[in-house]
Amino acid sequence: MTPESHAPTSTDDDLRPGPPPGCPAHGLGPGGLHRLHEAEDLGALYEQLRDQHGPVAPVLLHDDVPMWIVLGHAENLHMVRSPSQYCRDSRIWTPLREGLVKPDHPLMPHIAWQPIASHAEGDEHKRLRGAVMGAISTIDFRSLRRYINRSTQVIVNRFCEAGEADLVSQFTEHLPMAVMCEILGMPDEYNDRLVEAARDALKGTDTAIASHSYVMDALSRLTAIRRAQPEEDLASYLITHPARLSDDEVREHLRLVLFAAYEATTNLLSNVLLTVLIDPRFRAQLNGGQMTVPEAVEQSLWNEPPFSTVFAYFAKQETELGGQRIRRGDGLLFAPLPANVDPRVRPDLKASMQGNRSHLAFGGGPHECPGQDIGRSIADVGVDALLMRLPDVELDCDEEELRWTASIASRHLVELPVQFAPKPPQDVQEVPNHKPVVAQRSDWQIGIAQPQAAPAAAQPQPVAAQPQPVAAQPQPSPVQPQPVPGPAQPAVAEPARRRGVWQRFLSWWRGY
């Protein structure tokens, strides 16, 4: 795709320097197209582009590289579900083939083709994704949720006595890494250094390359160890899968799973906790039972998806999308953030989306996120466990003081200061025991006679060998069933009680 495909005509004005920041025209490039990376408020820009161009709009990336951004919900779904028309292989991208995208372009780490499932097609995609999905399918989610809860308690123990904390740097950036290290098979690698390295690599700072190398060294060690001695973890299942992945393929997919799951889940945890803290109605619904934590997570995935946009899809042929002519080799940004607020899908943004999972936070089609259930589990259990430990947690600053780091790809909360009543640490290593259990309520149910305690002097006596007539009994209260007249019955020690639902189910299950 070339700038001319967006603007058929050009003038000498296109060659003039851009306006300074603060000017209404700031952020405009050749042809009057908006530069996404210069936008101060991407959400507002997306709505402006929707008004100007419709569900698919032309924009510019760094170095004025042209790109389409897909804003409509239906258009995004069509793109990701049409592998015959669009792919993730950037080697067909026209600006890249024509030399407009330099090797040091800031977005090359996201766009450059790699031998991984998310960039592959056809049989190669089936082979690589089949290995990833096969490895993920071996996860015991019941055990995983227990591990998430235990990890949450360990992390909360670090700050629960202080009565204050930054939930971003002390919680949401740590829990996903601890869980992912366990899933991949390297729990001993989890520490503050690994968390800092992952955050630094994703931020793209001056030390990002060194931080990325630190993480890759850990994954290389894991691959070598599991190649020699497989165990019950995701890395081992990738290695032993019939797809026969090479060490490089195993390491690259471990990197993809680690970084994608870590960034997405960190943002998701932060967004859910922030909403709980600043929206009294949201928290009241949770406390009152009108909304569960999983439903709160889904609502957050609608309002603030972990990734604003995903780089990138490329047109395999000339086609049309959202009223725009798309040429072969054009690049398109998959954009969950504007798609989730498409007026055609959500005319009222304040309306609850409970029970609706048609958001695009995890993509769709052949490249839909394979680890979305892992992210949901971390968010569901992590948020619930934190609120159970710290039920009185409150935001320790004004909402306007919160800071964000934003990029085209995502928006990350910098810090989330909170305060709460100090709590003692919990013993997460305590083993279940057989201590006496507190007496539970009886199995009496409404609708049957409530048993009365017999007087001490009237304890049941052994039944005589010969049946005896039943002595006259006082009349029962009106709420008790009346005795049916009939012949005298043998005396019994205690009236038979109707079995509870659970006992009746067990009898049916056992065939009695």
Side-chain angles (χ1 to χ4, degrees):
M1 179 173 63
T2 62
E4 287 74 22
S5 65
H6 290 156
T9 59
S10 61
T11 65
D12 292 339
D13 293 339
D14 297 339
L15 303 178
R16 296 175 183 174
C23 174
H26 179 66
L28 298 180
L33 301 182
H34 287 272
R35 296 184 175 103
L36 287 185
H37 57 286
E38 292 184 357
E40 296 181 358
D41 186 345
L42 277 172
L45 176 58
Y46 291 150
E47 295 310 307
Q48 181 181 347
L49 291 171
R50 199 194 308 270
D51 292 339
Q52 293 177 348
H53 302 280
V56 179
V59 293
L60 298 173
L61 302 180
H62 304 74
D63 299 337
D64 288 340
V65 175
M67 180 73 74
W68 297 99
I69 183 165
V70 186
L71 306 168
H73 188 276
E75 289 72 20
N76 272 287
L77 271 180
H78 175 76
M79 179 177 66
V80 299
R81 291 177 175 177
S82 303
S84 62
Q85 295 178 314
Y86 306 95
C87 68
R88 299 288 308 275
D89 189 344
S90 63
R91 292 175 294 185
I92 69 171
W93 190 22
T94 298
L96 182 64
R97 297 175 61 188
E98 294 179 351
L100 297 178
V101 183
K102 305 301 180 184
D104 60 348
H105 191 278
L107 298 179
M108 278 303 288
H110 301 279
I111 296 178
W113 183 86
Q114 302 170 49
I116 54 179
S118 59
H119 290 174
E121 283 191 275
D123 292 340
E124 184 66 3
H125 174 260
K126 292 180 181 179
R127 181 180 76 89
L128 296 175
R129 186 176 175 89
V132 175
M133 294 297 292
I136 291 177
S137 69
T138 64
I139 295 175
D140 179 357
F141 276 87
R142 182 175 297 179
S143 298
L144 176 63
R145 295 176 76 88
R146 288 197 295 267
Y147 185 84
I148 296 169
N149 182 71
R150 187 163 62 251
S151 297
T152 299
Q153 307 307 332
V154 171
I155 294 172
V156 173
N157 278 349
R158 299 176 183 176
F159 57 79
C160 63
E161 295 179 288
E164 60 181 11
D166 170 22
L167 291 184
V168 171
S169 64
Q170 294 179 263
F171 182 71
T172 67
E173 291 185 350
H174 281 263
L175 180 60
M177 183 60 73
V179 176
M180 291 310 302
C181 284
E182 172 70 15
I183 291 174
L184 296 186
M186 55 179 197
D188 294 339
E189 295 282 356
Y190 165 68
N191 53 35
D192 292 346
R193 176 70 181 93
L194 186 64
V195 172
E196 293 169 1
R199 291 296 326 141
D200 191 52
L202 290 167
K203 290 177 182 177
T205 63
D206 294 338
T207 57
I209 295 178
S211 296
H212 185 271
S213 298
Y214 179 88
V215 177
M216 291 305 295
D217 287 344
L219 296 178
S220 297
R221 290 194 298 272
L222 174 63
T223 302
I225 293 172
R226 291 296 180 260
R227 178 73 72 178
Q229 186 176 359
E231 293 189 9
E232 301 291 324
D233 51 51
L234 191 139
S236 298
Y237 286 116
L238 273 179
I239 291 171
T240 59
H241 192 272
R244 297 182 178 276
L245 272 61
S246 66
D247 283 356
D248 288 341
E249 289 174 332
V250 170
R251 184 170 54 250
E252 287 301 314
H253 282 89
L254 291 176
R255 177 188 64 83
L256 176 66
V257 171
L258 179 64
F259 277 115
Y262 175 66
E263 173 72 1
T265 310
T266 295
N267 289 344
L268 179 58
L269 277 169
S270 298
N271 295 338
V272 175
L273 287 172
L274 175 61
T275 305
V276 170
L277 292 172
I278 66 176
D279 190 340
R281 295 172 302 174
F282 201 83
R283 190 163 188 171
Q285 285 182 307
L286 280 178
N287 294 338
Q290 295 93 345
M291 178 184 289
T292 64
V293 172
E295 289 172 335
V297 170
E298 294 302 321
Q299 183 72 39
S300 179
L301 289 170
W302 272 104
N303 298 337
E304 188 78 39
F307 290 109
S308 307
T309 60
V310 176
F311 300 91
Y313 282 77
F314 306 94
K316 300 169 66 174
Q317 60 189 31
E318 186 164 326
T319 184
E320 182 272 339
L321 184 65
Q324 300 284 8
R325 178 188 176 188
I326 309 298
R327 292 185 171 90
R328 184 183 186 277
D330 282 3
L332 305 95
L333 295 178
F334 171 65
L337 179 60
N340 281 355
V341 295
D342 187 340
R344 296 172 298 176
V345 177
R346 295 182 68 186
D348 181 7
L349 296 181
K350 295 182 179 179
S352 172
M353 302 301 288
Q354 285 182 254
N356 190 335
R357 280 195 173 189
S358 60
H359 57 74
L360 301 181
F362 295 113
H367 296 290
E368 184 176 10
C369 175
Q372 57 185 281
D373 289 338
I374 298 175
R376 281 190 172 102
S377 296
I378 296 174
D380 293 348
V381 179
V383 171
D384 188 51
L386 176 70
L387 295 179
M388 289 290 288
R389 280 289 300 275
L390 309 174
D392 58 342
V393 62
E394 296 179 351
L395 190 64
D396 197 19
C397 70
D398 293 333
E399 183 181 348
E400 294 74 18
E401 298 178 16
L402 296 173
R403 296 181 296 114
W404 303 77
T405 57
S407 67
I408 302 174
S410 64
R411 198 167 76 119
H412 187 81
L413 187 62
V414 175
E415 58 186 1
L416 187 58
V418 295
Q419 60 179 353
F420 47 87
K423 304 291 191 301
Q426 287 191 358
D427 182 6
V428 298
Q429 301 298 330
E430 184 177 359
V431 179
N433 53 56
H434 297 283
K435 294 179 180 179
V437 179
V438 178
Q440 303 296 309
R441 65 181 184 183
S442 68
D443 59 355
W444 173 80
Q445 300 179 27
I446 295 176
I448 65 174
Q450 186 170 359
Q452 301 294 332
Q459 293 298 326
Q461 299 298 325
V463 180
Q466 297 297 325
Q468 300 294 328
V470 177
Q473 298 292 332
Q475 291 297 323
S477 62
V479 297
Q480 294 178 325
Q482 298 296 328
V484 179
Q489 299 295 328
V492 293
E494 185 177 79
R497 300 174 185 173
R498 184 185 177 188
R499 291 178 300 173
V501 175
W502 178 246
Q503 287 79 11
R504 297 200 302 274
F505 171 76
L506 287 179
S507 297
W508 172 82
W509 180 262
R510 293 168 178 166
Y512 295 107

